[in-house]
Amino acid sequence: MNYERNKIELEENGYSVLMDLYLDHEISQMLACIENAEQNGNSFMKTEDLFAIRQLIKNVPELSDLMFNKKLTELITDLSASEYFLTKAIYFDKPSASNWFVAYHQDLSISVDKKVDLENYVNWTFKKGQYGVQPPIEILQDTITIRIHLDKTDKNNGALKVIPKSHLKGIVRADSKDWNIENEFVCEVEKGGAMLMKPLTLHASSRTTNGKKRRVIHLEFNKHNLTEPLAWLEHYEIKTSTQQLGSKAAK
């Protein structure tokens, strides 16, 4: 398949939606892996409104071969001219009765292995045993987010809303006058499809109103090494010839 159209849309608008990345049986296999995983430790978060697994490849390693099928590896190759690697993998399950919503924001934080005082690395956080930091803007600009949809997702069960082209404005305050809510677009995605996004694209998520689940695997890719001695918390090389990942995850 050729994903040139998706690449152009991602660069110009800050997002793109594609269908048929996975077959039904591939989705079923991925969900079975997740359901069979031991759900303990800081990487697992469960509330009435959300269940999440951070460091997904580390905690559910069987998923890597299933996720990185021929279509996904071709997609990543088509999207990027240089060698990209996986820097973040999270599973989100928004239950059918969830009242959880997220206001408009940009994804400005990356997960790193330690806290180090470095120029242009700001707004440090420490949550669930993980350090987060806002890196230099070129790292955010070169990040590619791929959200794999394990359920059909529309405006009634939490499909992401985006402000097209907002990623071109750099880092903006959510209450800024530089963007207009009237321009928002709802990214409805079929089961087995995916949403591509730039992290600087302003995006939001509404409450679930139709009683249907919204399960998503959120992947982030980058091509930059961080300023030494800082390193990505997760770093998995993509081996397109075998559709497998090679781990260089931080210890």
Side-chain angles (χ1 to χ4, degrees):
M1 293 183 67
N2 187 306
Y3 297 102
E4 187 64 25
R5 176 185 64 83
N6 300 104
K7 179 180 180 179
I8 293 170
E9 288 179 351
L10 180 63
E11 293 297 331
E12 291 184 353
N13 297 323
Y15 69 94
S16 181
V17 174
L18 59 93
M19 308 301 173
D20 302 325
L21 201 59
Y22 298 93
L23 300 173
D24 279 352
H25 78 271
E26 293 176 304
I27 296 294
S28 297
Q29 288 176 312
M30 285 191 278
L31 287 171
C33 273
I34 292 166
E35 289 164 5
N36 292 331
E38 292 185 21
Q39 298 179 10
N40 51 43
N42 282 340
S43 294
F44 294 82
M45 182 180 80
K46 192 164 189 175
T47 69
E48 290 183 359
D49 287 323
L50 178 68
F51 172 60
I53 307 174
R54 296 179 177 87
Q55 297 188 62
L56 186 59
I57 302 300
K58 175 182 177 182
N59 286 292
V60 193
E62 300 84 2
L63 267 179
S64 62
D65 287 351
L66 298 172
M67 284 194 303
F68 281 82
N69 65 1
K70 183 179 179 181
K71 288 183 178 179
L72 181 61
T73 51
E74 286 179 350
L75 171 62
I76 297 166
T77 301
D78 285 358
L79 291 178
S80 57
S82 57
E83 293 291 322
Y84 269 65
F85 49 88
L86 181 67
T87 63
K88 184 178 290 187
I90 308 175
Y91 169 73
F92 290 111
D93 178 358
K94 194 172 185 179
S96 56
S98 174
N99 284 318
W100 179 59
F101 76 99
V102 180
Y104 270 105
H105 66 288
Q106 297 171 301
D107 291 339
L108 300 179
S109 181
I110 62 171
S111 297
V112 293
D113 64 334
K114 63 177 77 71
K115 184 176 182 179
V116 185
D117 185 15
L118 292 170
E119 187 177 3
N120 297 322
Y121 288 81
V122 299
N123 299 330
W124 285 89
T125 60
F126 185 70
K127 299 176 182 177
K128 298 286 184 179
Q130 292 185 194
Y131 284 106
V133 67
Q134 182 177 319
I137 191 169
E138 60 267 21
I139 291 177
L140 298 175
Q141 290 171 330
D142 287 337
T143 297
I144 297 172
T145 298
I146 301 178
R147 292 169 58 89
I148 300 166
H149 282 250
L150 308 179
D151 298 293
K152 176 180 172 61
T153 309
D154 58 29
K155 63 181 180 181
N156 298 313
N157 66 327
L160 286 195
K161 301 178 291 186
V162 299
I163 307 297
K165 302 185 185 299
S166 54
H167 68 302
L168 301 175
K169 298 180 182 296
I171 295 172
V172 300
R173 287 174 47 180
D175 59 354
S176 170
K177 303 300 182 185
D178 290 340
W179 55 279
N180 190 336
I181 194 71
E182 293 177 2
N183 296 329
E184 76 176 14
F185 178 82
V186 180
C187 295
E188 299 191 337
V189 186
E190 294 293 328
K191 176 182 176 181
M195 177 190 172
L196 316 179
M197 189 176 70
K198 292 284 190 174
L200 293 180
T201 301
L202 282 156
H203 57 286
S205 173
S206 297
R207 294 180 173 88
T208 298
T209 58
N210 64 358
K212 295 183 179 179
K213 295 173 74 72
R214 190 211 70 179
R215 293 169 292 186
V216 171
I217 294 175
H218 174 107
L219 306 175
E220 294 181 14
F221 300 87
N222 210 290
K223 62 181 181 180
H224 296 283
N225 290 318
L226 305 179
T227 304
E228 293 184 349
L230 200 61
W232 297 95
L233 180 64
E234 300 169 75
H235 184 145
Y236 296 92
E237 301 288 351
I238 303 161
K239 299 180 180 179
T240 55
S241 60
T242 58
Q243 285 79 57
Q244 294 181 348
L245 297 185
S247 173
K248 289 171 68 175
K251 303 298 183 185

